[in-house]
Amino acid sequence: MTTIQDPWETLRTSALLGTDRRPVPATALPFAEAVDPDDPATALLELAALATVRRRAGALPVPAVEPPGPPAPPDTRPELPEAAAHRLAVLLAGRSGSGGTLANLLPQWLTAARAQGLRPPAALIPGLLDAARARSELRPDAVALAGPLGRWLAEQNPDWRFVLRTAPPEPTRQPEGAGDHRIWHEGLFAERVTHLTLLRRSDPAAGLELLRSTWSTERAEDRVLFLDALQDGLSPADEPFLEAALSDRSKNVRTTAAELLSTLPGSALAQRMAERALAAVRLAEGGTHLVVTPPAECDERMQRDGIAPTSPTGRGERAWWFGEVVAAAPLATWARSTGLRPEQLLALRVGDSVDETSSSWADDLREAWARAAVRQQDAEWARALLGPAPAPPASRGTGRARAQRVTGAPAKLLAVLPPEERAAWTAAFIEVHGLGEAFQLLGACATPWTPPLSLAVVTALARAAASGAYPWSHSGVLGMTERALAPETADAVEELAAGAAPDTAWSETFAQLAWTLRFRAAMLGELTARPAR
C-alpha cells in the first residue's frame, strides 16, 4: 500500500526552503494539471490556494465538547444607552474620522463608562476583551466593564485568560478557610501577584501572613515583586517583616525593603537615616547657612539599609551616599532639628565643612529633598521645591530662573500636589515658557485638563503656529490634547483652524483636533444621557 504525503506539508516545506532548493513535486499533488510548471513560485501559491480550499471542504466535524458548565452569573448593572453602545462599537472597530485615529479615545471612554456603573451589551464583550488583550493599559477598565460575563467567557477562551489575572474593580474580603488561597499555591506568577494585591487591599494583615508563609521558598526575582505588593495597605505592622528582609541575600530585595521602610516615618530604618542625615547636614551657628559633611564611608549598617557602596550613576561615591541618606530620611526631621519651614531651608546658602563659602553641595541636597518629597508624598515640600508658579511675561526672566532651579524631576514633584493646584501651576508655566518644556508637566496633570489649563495650551499652540513652527515640533503635546483638552475648547480650536492658512499643516492639525474634541464631547454626553421614557 502506497503512503501519500500530506500535500500541505509538501507545500510548506517548499515555501520554507524555496522552490530553487526544494522544487514542488507537482505531479504528486492533486490538481497539479491546473498550474503552470514553468513558473515554480506562482505554481506554489496556486497549489497552496487549492490545497486550502480542499482542506476546508474536507474538514470533519469535531467531537462534541463538554458543556461549559453553569451560565454566567447575572449582571445587575444598567445597560449602556443605545447611542453609547454604538459609540463603543465604533471605537472597538478602530474606525477613523476626519483623518485621525480613535484608538487613543478608547481608554477615556472605558474609564468614563466604568465610573457610570454601566455594562456593555453582551455582543460587544468579546470585542472588548480582544482590545484589552492587545493593549494591556485597557485591562483594568475593560475587565471591570465586562463584568461577570467577561470572566465567564475568559474561562472558556484561553486567549482571554488575562481577565482571570486582572484585579476586579472592588475586591471583597477573602473568605476564611484553607481553600481560599489555592491560586497562591498553584497559580501562575502573575495570578499570585494579583491574589496577594487583592488580599492586601482588603485585609493587609492576612496578605502579609500569606506572603510570610512561603517567603523562604520563593525565588529572589519573585520576592521583589511580592514585596512591591505590600505597598497596598503598608503600615507599621509590616515593619518587622521588612526589617528582616533587609538581611535578604538578594540585593534587589534589600533595596525594595529599604524603600518601603523609608516611607514609614516612624520605622527604625527611617530613624537611622534621620540620624545619618543630621550628621551630614547641620544649620550653621546663627542660622545663616547649611553646612554639609557627606558620609566618609558606606559601612555595613548603611549597606544593610539599602545604600549601595558604589554609585550606579557614575557620581562620586560620597555624593551618592549623601543623596541616598537624605532621600531616605523623614522630611519632618529638618523642621524638628532647625525649626524652619521647607521654603526657609531651601532659601539658605549651602556650604561644606571644609569651605563653608562653597555651594558645591546645594544641587545634591535639593535633589535628595526632591526625591524624599516624591517618595513620602509630602505636598508642602513639593510645593516649596517647585517654587511659586512662574511669573507672567512682564517678569519673564525671574520666572525662568525659578523654573530652572527645580531639581530632580519637576513632573514627579508636581504629581504630589492636589489636581487643581497641579493644573494651575502648569498653566502658568506654559504661559511663560510655552510648550517646549511642558510635555512631562502636562503628563502629570489629571485629565481632562481644567478649562484654564486647556486655554493656556490652546493659546500656546496659537503662538507656535504664528511663529512659523511646524506642528510636528509639538507632536507629543498635540497627541495629549486629543484626549486631555477640555471639550469646551472646541470653539477656540475651530477658530484657530479657520484662521490658519488653508491647506497647511496647522490648518489640518487644528481641524482634526476640533473634530476630536466634538467627538469626545458627544461620547461623554451619551454616557450620562437619561434613557427616554
Side-chain angles (χ1 to χ4, degrees):
M1 181 177 178
T2 303
T3 301
I4 299 177
Q5 186 178 2
D6 182 3
W8 186 259
E9 289 301 319
T10 301
L11 294 171
R12 193 162 70 102
T13 301
S14 294
L16 290 172
L17 298 179
T19 54
D20 290 339
R21 297 177 59 191
R22 181 62 63 89
V24 180
T27 57
L29 296 173
F31 312 112
E33 67 280 1
V35 301
D36 182 2
D38 296 328
D39 186 353
T42 302
L44 175 64
L45 296 175
E46 291 177 346
L47 287 170
L50 291 169
T52 299
V53 174
R54 181 172 178 268
R55 284 161 61 90
R56 290 176 177 174
L60 298 175
V62 297
V65 298
E66 291 294 326
D75 191 338
T76 58
R77 296 174 299 172
E79 189 168 296
L80 285 171
E82 183 178 353
H86 176 71
R87 184 80 60 175
L88 174 59
V90 171
L91 291 170
L92 290 175
R95 298 176 190 170
S96 298
S98 188
T101 180
L102 303 179
N104 60 353
L105 297 183
L106 181 57
Q108 189 171 126
W109 188 98
L110 295 176
T111 300
R114 176 181 176 181
Q116 293 294 324
L118 302 172
R119 63 178 171 88
L124 293 180
I125 290 181
L128 179 60
L129 296 182
D130 282 340
R133 181 192 178 202
R135 298 173 60 183
S136 60
E137 76 275 14
L138 303 178
R139 291 180 182 178
D141 286 332
V143 170
L145 280 171
L149 178 56
R151 292 188 172 271
W152 184 88
L153 289 171
E155 294 173 352
Q156 321 305 321
N157 186 347
D159 288 344
W160 299 330
R161 286 300 172 90
F162 69 86
V163 174
L164 305 178
R165 299 190 291 270
T166 303
E170 295 180 0
T172 57
R173 185 181 180 87
Q174 294 288 334
E176 303 292 339
D180 300 339
H181 306 307
R182 178 178 54 83
I183 291 178
W184 177 254
H185 296 291
E186 302 175 8
L188 301 173
F189 173 69
E191 295 171 333
R192 299 181 71 211
V193 172
T194 298
H195 182 79
L196 179 61
T197 301
L198 291 177
L199 191 55
R200 284 287 295 184
R201 291 175 185 173
S202 60
D203 190 341
L208 177 62
E209 188 57 35
L210 183 64
L211 178 57
R212 194 196 306 271
S213 68
T214 61
W215 180 256
S216 61
T217 63
E218 304 290 355
R219 300 182 305 169
E221 56 267 32
D222 294 349
R223 292 199 301 274
V224 173
L225 293 179
F226 288 146
L227 274 187
D228 275 340
L230 296 187
Q231 294 182 69
D232 286 293
L234 186 67
S235 73
D238 300 310
E239 183 181 355
F241 180 80
L242 293 172
E243 185 73 27
L246 292 176
S247 301
D248 195 275
R249 59 185 180 274
S250 166
K251 174 186 173 183
N252 290 335
V253 170
R254 296 195 302 270
T255 301
T256 302
E259 289 178 356
L260 290 173
L261 284 168
S262 69
T263 65
L264 295 173
S267 68
L269 179 138
Q271 297 310 309
R272 294 193 295 270
M273 290 297 190
E275 293 173 5
R276 294 169 182 138
L278 290 175
V281 182
R282 62 178 175 83
L283 186 63
E285 292 185 12
T288 58
H289 61 283
L290 295 171
V291 180
V292 171
T293 307
E297 63 175 341
C298 185
D299 57 30
E300 291 184 0
R301 290 183 302 172
M302 290 173 64
Q303 293 180 45
R304 183 179 181 274
D305 285 347
I307 301 178
T310 57
S311 170
T313 62
R315 298 168 62 187
E317 289 184 345
R318 296 188 73 188
W320 164 254
W321 302 332
F322 173 74
E324 291 295 284
V325 164
V326 174
L331 287 166
T333 300
W334 308 107
R336 286 196 300 265
S337 64
T338 65
L340 300 177
R341 298 189 305 275
E343 60 272 19
Q344 293 174 313
L345 285 165
L346 290 165
L348 293 175
R349 180 173 57 82
V350 179
D352 61 43
S353 55
V354 176
D355 180 5
E356 295 193 4
T357 64
S358 170
S359 59
S360 59
W361 291 100
D363 289 343
D364 294 279
L365 181 58
R366 291 180 66 93
E367 182 181 356
W369 274 340
R371 289 165 55 200
V374 173
R375 184 181 296 179
Q376 299 170 36
Q377 292 293 288
D378 191 308
E380 183 183 11
W381 269 92
R383 193 176 292 115
L385 286 157
L386 282 167
S395 51
R396 184 179 301 271
T398 302
R400 176 167 291 277
R402 167 67 71 175
Q404 289 180 341
R405 289 192 65 200
V406 178
T407 54
K412 292 182 178 180
L413 287 170
L414 196 65
V416 178
L417 302 181
E420 288 290 334
E421 188 176 354
R422 240 181 284 166
W425 199 98
T426 304
F429 183 95
I430 290 172
E431 183 182 354
V432 174
H433 303 300
L435 297 172
E437 304 172 24
F439 178 74
Q440 291 185 336
L441 300 178
L442 287 169
C445 293
T447 56
W449 295 331
T450 61
L453 176 56
S454 296
L455 181 60
V457 171
V458 171
T459 302
L461 286 172
R463 290 202 304 265
S467 71
Y470 292 104
W472 47 85
S473 64
H474 297 292
S475 58
V477 171
L478 284 168
M480 272 197 241
T481 59
E482 291 189 335
R483 60 183 182 274
L485 269 181
E488 297 84 349
T489 58
D491 289 341
V493 175
E494 285 183 340
E495 289 181 9
L496 292 178
D503 300 324
T504 61
W506 278 111
S507 173
E508 295 175 1
T509 297
F510 287 140
Q512 171 61 29
L513 180 55
W515 178 91
T516 302
L517 292 172
R518 298 290 187 199
F519 185 97
R520 281 178 52 218
M523 83 176 190
L524 296 175
E526 292 161 355
L527 290 170
T528 57
R530 295 182 178 273
R533 296 186 178 182

